[in-house]
Amino acid sequence: MNKVIMSHIIMLVPINNNVGSTAISLSLLDFLNKNKHKKESNKSILYISCQNNILNNTAIIINKYFSYFIDILQEINFSNVTLGSSIYFSLLDHLIEKCFENKYLYEFILIEGLNKEKNIYSDQINYDIAQNLNAEVILLSNIIECTIKYYNMKENEIKLFLKKYEYKKFLGVIFNEINSIFLGKKNGFIDKLKFLKNNIIENKKNIILEQLINNTVFPIIAFIPWNKDLMEIFSIDIYRFLNAMPIHISNMYMQNIEKIIIFNRHEKNILHKNNSCILIIVPINEVSNFIQYFIEYYNHKSITVLLSGKLTSIQYLQELCKTLINMNISIFFINKNIIDIICILQNFHFNLNIREKDRINQLQKYISSFFNINKICLFKEKKYTSIIFSPREFCHHLKVLSRRSKKRIILPESYEIRILHAVSICDNLNIAKCVLLGDPQKIYNIAKEKGIYLSKRIEIINPDLVREKYFSQFMRLRKHKGIDEYYAKKQLQDNIILATLMVESDEVDGMVSGSINTTASTIRPALQLIKTNISSSLISSIFFMLLPKKVLIYGDCAININPTAEELAEIAIQSSHSAEIFGIEPRIAMLSYSTGSSGTGQQVEKVKKATSIVKLKRPDLIIDGPIQYDAAVSKKISQLKMPFSSLLGSASIFIFPDLNSGNITYKAVQRSAQLVSIGPMLQGLRKPVNDLSRGSSIEDIIYTIALTAIQSK
């Protein structure tokens, strides 16, 4: 079993709008930093937002205050992407690749998911990201009314959500903004100030919440009541949001604003109203009237002034406001009219990105105080874990492994357009050093006609110039068959046979063929010239089945028609070795129409004997059989049919009793579930040769080239 140490990938998934994602993200980042294992490391956290960081409050605040311990991944933006489009899959692959590159560098990777305001497909996008990265998921929700009835409704909503989106790793739910007076109300900034001024808010945990914490059907990480005190707005917050210019600053500019007033010379009781701090918007042409009024009615309240209008010069404004400056009143200016200012303020939304660091820290401390530390630390208990690959993660893993191998893979079907496309991409991604066997001029002409770029790094060997070189080698390898020179020269006209000889002589590391030729045309020369390795008596095949939640291995679905018990055992052992090469823990199910001793028959006995042979030869392997498919994949069914099975419903390798059942099953699963299958990958040869389906896509060929490169020693 391959064990690895890697960072924890945690993903926050909003299931409602207005859940305070920024506040939760900042608080969780602070919590993770304080609880990291490597205390001496500075940047132990990578933050990733699924929307444009330029518009993302969390990224803005991190850059502003917390970049000393948090790095940000910049290039990810799913906000306006259409689900299932080529751009979507390209972006998803890019995210997976970046996480792979960084998952050994950081202790934590925190991903802030999308809500429906950013993308109507947010639920599915968040699910795809979490599943493909094996992320530990925390759902974010809100509670408008703190009542049992409302909570039960919310609980049912989340249960339905989790039924639809069965996350592999679900940590729990954070309920935020509980009893917020702003939820469900479409009020502008000035109306919200009135709410804050006129409403008495209870910030302590509601008794109902205390009762709910221990009686939920899913884990609760936090119930976080809305806090009026954290919503206070200071005059400097407003000025920063408006990008206003300071004319004079006093210590009053940091006062809490409770009311905004537009100066009106006809209203005489502005300063008599019971407000501890007022922001007064004054048009420039009304400054003289305002000063006259101000001198008459000023009663030492906290006042800050915002001048609006067309700027002539700062000196003029300072002279105009000399009286106010002498009284140490904070004065700012914005080159807009009053209507524009009010319209801009309606979009204020109490954003955190304009707050001072001390106030952000206060918010983090408040929210973190509600975290259920035992539940949020679950991800720390299992530092060493087996790899369970998601589909796109496995594909990326293949690319990484093949890049490390740097092998030369020959492709004899060099005039096929799909082959040329795949070779071009493999060269660009550095998956392998591809060698094309064919007339260079013809290959370049085809590529040019189809708009395929072939780099000069791609080696092209003209078969007509090298056939004679392999004549004696072919005669030596086939002499026991009594072949003559005429037959040998005729056979060498076949480019697949020529390429196979090049593999056998170690001039290249592996071969991929079959896009336009039969399976027999690829495998027969390999058996005759390369032959099986010392430990194998047969060649078998496996397919990598890329299911939504994991990658499974099916064997043998392409080569052996009706293997004996001994051959089945060898296929199982070969498949376990292949699984280990690719980082998949081998857990082998020897399939049958019967589970355990529930059935009898020749086929059942064959599988039972094969299982015993494997256990004898490889007692270290986890294997069970005969076993039905459902008992091999379902823990619940396994407990009913085979309660003492070592597989426990979590098989990763499925060995079919014959080619008939194997081939039918892999095609049925592939087509019905519309999933990707990679293969067949041949096992048992001394050197890797892999067969392509004649219906192979360009992507299939790319991954087959990668498989072949990884198989090469």
Side-chain angles (χ1 to χ4, degrees):
M1 184 192 305
N2 287 7
K3 301 286 186 180
V4 292
I5 303 174
M6 62 183 71
S7 59
H8 290 286
I9 302 177
I10 305 163
M11 185 168 180
L12 299 177
V13 175
I15 61 173
N16 306 115
N17 296 327
N18 303 312
V19 295
S21 296
T22 294
I24 298 298
S25 295
L26 292 171
S27 303
L28 188 55
L29 286 165
D30 181 63
F31 174 85
L32 295 175
N33 185 55
K34 289 175 180 175
N35 290 274
K36 62 185 179 184
H37 288 286
K38 298 178 181 178
K39 302 295 182 183
E40 72 285 353
S41 63
N42 291 325
K43 294 196 176 184
S44 58
I45 302 174
L46 177 65
Y47 167 79
I48 302 171
S49 170
C50 293
Q51 65 165 313
N52 190 340
N53 284 328
I54 296 173
L55 304 175
N56 176 27
N57 283 336
T58 310
I60 292 169
I61 295 170
I62 290 171
N63 280 325
K64 200 178 202 181
Y65 299 127
F66 304 113
S67 58
Y68 63 92
F69 76 88
I70 303 170
D71 280 332
I72 298 177
L73 186 62
Q74 298 291 346
E75 310 97 330
I76 306 301
N77 183 11
F78 285 90
S79 296
N80 299 310
V81 175
T82 302
L83 187 70
S85 65
S86 58
I87 296 174
Y88 171 70
F89 286 120
S90 176
L91 195 56
L92 184 58
D93 286 340
H94 179 65
L95 176 57
I96 293 168
E97 184 166 350
K98 288 297 180 183
C99 285
F100 249 91
E101 289 174 2
N102 290 290
K103 70 196 300 185
Y104 300 101
L105 302 177
Y106 296 91
E107 191 165 335
F108 301 105
I109 296 176
L110 180 67
I111 302 173
E112 186 177 330
L114 295 170
N115 61 29
K116 286 187 174 62
E117 287 182 339
K118 307 301 179 186
N119 194 312
I120 59 172
Y121 307 108
S122 60
D123 290 343
Q124 187 62 49
I125 291 172
N126 290 333
Y127 179 76
D128 289 348
I129 292 169
Q131 294 297 86
N132 280 290
L133 290 174
N134 287 309
E136 297 166 293
V137 171
I138 298 174
L139 300 183
L140 304 184
S141 186
N142 55 35
I143 294 181
I144 297 175
E145 301 173 16
C146 197
T147 63
I148 294 292
K149 181 180 179 181
Y150 185 86
Y151 178 77
N152 288 339
M153 180 201 74
K154 183 66 71 170
E155 189 177 60
N156 287 331
E157 175 190 329
I158 293 172
K159 284 195 294 185
L160 289 172
F161 182 88
L162 290 172
K163 186 175 181 181
K164 183 176 181 180
Y165 300 103
E166 298 179 4
Y167 285 100
K168 282 190 281 188
K169 297 180 181 178
F170 171 57
L171 288 182
V173 182
I174 292 178
F175 288 104
N176 192 26
E177 303 283 354
I178 296 174
N179 272 352
S180 169
I181 61 173
F182 295 156
L183 286 178
K185 296 182 176 71
K186 294 184 178 180
N187 297 299
F189 172 64
I190 294 176
D191 292 324
K192 289 180 179 179
L193 278 180
K194 291 178 182 177
F195 274 120
L196 290 175
K197 174 64 180 174
N198 299 325
N199 283 271
I200 299 173
I201 309 298
E202 178 58 59
N203 288 328
K204 294 181 181 178
K205 279 187 180 180
N206 193 297
I207 295 174
I208 293 174
L209 297 182
E210 297 283 6
Q211 297 171 349
L212 294 174
I213 287 176
N214 297 316
N215 295 285
T216 55
V217 294
F218 41 73
I220 301 295
I221 292 174
F223 280 111
I224 306 168
W226 183 79
N227 190 336
K228 171 186 176 181
D229 296 334
L230 295 174
M231 301 300 293
E232 292 177 343
I233 296 299
F234 291 81
S235 55
I236 188 62
D237 297 334
I238 297 172
Y239 293 142
R240 282 177 176 167
F241 181 75
L242 293 172
N243 198 24
M245 177 193 303
I247 304 301
H248 177 73
I249 297 176
S250 73
N251 58 355
M252 295 302 179
Y253 86 109
M254 280 299 294
Q255 291 296 310
N256 178 0
I257 293 294
E258 293 187 353
K259 189 166 186 179
I260 294 179
I261 295 173
I262 300 170
F263 174 70
N264 182 347
R265 73 174 79 172
H266 303 295
E267 186 176 351
K268 301 299 182 183
N269 62 345
I270 293 174
L271 300 180
H272 289 296
K273 296 182 179 179
N274 186 25
N275 295 100
S276 61
C277 190
I278 303 171
L279 188 154
I280 303 178
I281 304 175
V282 182
I284 287 180
N285 58 4
E286 290 284 345
V287 170
S288 298
N289 291 323
F290 172 72
I291 291 174
Q292 184 180 351
Y293 167 86
F294 185 78
I295 293 171
E296 183 177 350
Y297 292 101
Y298 180 56
N299 59 358
H300 300 285
K301 288 182 179 293
S302 299
I303 292 173
T304 179
V305 175
L306 175 63
L307 301 179
S308 69
K310 189 173 181 180
L311 176 65
T312 53
S313 70
I314 295 177
Q315 290 79 7
Y316 170 75
L317 287 179
Q318 289 173 336
E319 187 64 31
L320 190 63
C321 302
K322 190 173 182 180
T323 302
L324 297 176
I325 293 171
N326 289 339
M327 297 178 72
N328 204 25
I329 302 296
S330 291
I331 306 169
F332 284 74
F333 170 79
I334 180 170
N335 188 19
K336 291 186 182 296
N337 62 43
I338 289 175
I339 293 175
D340 288 341
I341 293 171
I342 297 303
C343 289
I344 294 170
L345 284 175
Q346 299 298 11
N347 296 318
F348 184 87
H349 292 315
F350 293 80
N351 288 336
L352 291 173
N353 60 14
I354 57 169
R355 307 298 183 88
E356 295 289 337
K357 185 178 180 183
D358 288 345
R359 298 180 63 211
I360 298 293
N361 291 148
Q362 182 185 0
L363 173 77
Q364 290 173 315
K365 184 177 180 182
Y366 173 77
I367 289 180
S368 298
S369 69
F370 292 93
F371 286 160
N372 185 330
I373 298 198
N374 291 330
K375 287 189 171 68
I376 214 168
C377 286
L378 284 175
F379 52 76
K380 285 189 166 189
E381 294 176 2
K382 202 170 182 181
K383 187 67 179 175
Y384 294 86
T385 57
S386 301
I387 301 174
I388 302 176
F389 289 110
S390 60
R392 292 195 170 269
E393 192 180 23
F394 181 71
C395 290
H396 178 72
H397 183 61
L398 292 182
K399 293 175 186 175
V400 171
L401 291 179
S402 61
R403 284 171 192 154
R404 291 176 189 166
S405 66
K406 297 180 180 178
K407 299 297 183 179
R408 297 176 76 231
I409 306 301
I410 192 164
L411 297 101
E413 299 167 323
S414 300
Y415 307 133
E416 168 57 37
I417 297 166
R418 289 170 295 158
I419 294 290
L420 296 183
H421 269 295
V423 167
S424 177
I425 294 169
C426 285
D427 174 71
N428 186 49
L429 297 177
N430 200 27
I431 286 175
K433 296 177 181 178
C434 294
V435 179
L436 294 172
L437 190 60
D439 178 6
Q441 192 58 51
K442 185 176 179 180
I443 291 171
Y444 282 125
N445 287 342
I446 294 171
K448 183 178 180 180
E449 182 184 342
K450 298 300 180 181
I452 303 168
Y453 174 71
L454 295 180
S455 163
K456 295 299 181 183
R457 293 186 300 270
I458 299 170
E459 185 179 355
I460 301 177
I461 297 176
N462 190 331
D464 294 334
L465 301 180
V466 298
R467 293 191 204 280
E468 198 64 35
K469 175 182 174 183
Y470 296 95
F471 175 78
S472 58
Q473 179 188 2
F474 184 78
M475 290 292 291
R476 174 176 56 81
L477 291 170
R478 302 293 289 155
K479 64 180 180 181
H480 62 286
K481 291 294 183 178
I483 63 172
D484 56 27
E485 291 185 7
Y486 173 79
Y487 177 80
K489 288 179 180 179
K490 185 178 179 181
Q491 287 286 293
L492 281 171
Q493 293 300 311
D494 186 336
N495 281 355
I496 294 178
I497 292 176
L498 183 60
T500 306
L501 286 167
M502 294 174 73
V503 175
E504 199 280 332
S505 63
D506 290 332
E507 292 186 27
V508 291
D509 300 296
M511 182 182 82
V512 171
S513 181
S515 65
I516 55 175
N517 288 283
T518 64
T519 295
S521 298
T522 299
I523 294 176
R524 188 182 297 112
L527 276 171
Q528 294 173 343
L529 303 172
I530 296 175
K531 301 182 173 56
T532 60
N533 58 40
I534 298 172
S535 60
S536 299
S537 61
L538 55 76
I539 293 177
S540 66
S541 72
I542 57 171
F543 283 88
F544 294 91
M545 308 297 291
L546 277 55
L547 274 66
K549 292 186 179 180
K550 55 190 171 183
V551 176
L552 302 179
I553 291 175
Y554 285 5
D556 176 358
C557 305
I559 305 297
N560 296 284
I561 297 173
N562 188 22
T564 64
E566 290 75 15
E567 288 171 336
L568 269 183
E570 187 166 344
I571 293 168
I573 293 171
Q574 286 178 351
S575 300
S576 70
H577 177 65
S578 295
E580 288 172 338
I581 291 174
F582 293 94
I584 298 173
E585 180 187 4
R587 299 175 64 84
I588 307 168
M590 304 296 284
L591 296 176
S592 172
Y593 59 78
S594 168
T595 293
S597 57
S598 64
T600 58
Q602 185 178 354
Q603 288 292 317
V604 175
E605 293 305 314
K606 179 177 76 169
V607 174
K608 188 181 295 184
K609 182 179 178 182
T611 306
S612 298
I613 293 170
V614 175
K615 288 180 177 179
L616 184 64
K617 288 186 175 182
R618 289 288 304 275
D620 58 307
L621 290 176
I622 298 172
I623 184 171
D624 220 332
I627 187 170
Q628 290 166 290
Y629 194 98
D630 56 355
V633 296
S634 168
K635 185 176 181 180
K636 185 177 180 180
I637 296 174
S638 176
Q639 288 173 340
L640 289 172
K641 292 186 174 183
M642 214 170 185
F644 302 109
S645 171
S646 58
L647 293 176
L648 298 173
S650 61
S652 60
I653 299 174
F654 298 80
I655 304 301
F656 292 88
D658 53 53
L659 184 60
N660 198 40
S661 58
N663 192 271
I664 291 171
T665 302
Y666 112 77
K667 286 187 181 293
V669 172
Q670 178 194 30
R671 298 301 176 185
S672 300
Q674 294 184 328
L675 54 84
V676 175
S677 66
I678 301 176
M681 187 186 88
L682 302 185
Q683 307 173 131
L685 285 168
R686 284 193 308 112
K687 295 171 184 179
V689 170
N690 280 311
D691 178 46
L692 295 168
S693 165
R694 277 168 284 179
S696 294
S697 67
I698 294 168
E699 189 177 36
D700 292 336
I701 298 169
I702 291 168
Y703 289 122
T704 303
I705 292 171
L707 288 176
T708 309
I710 297 164
Q711 279 183 292
S712 305
K713 295 182 180 179

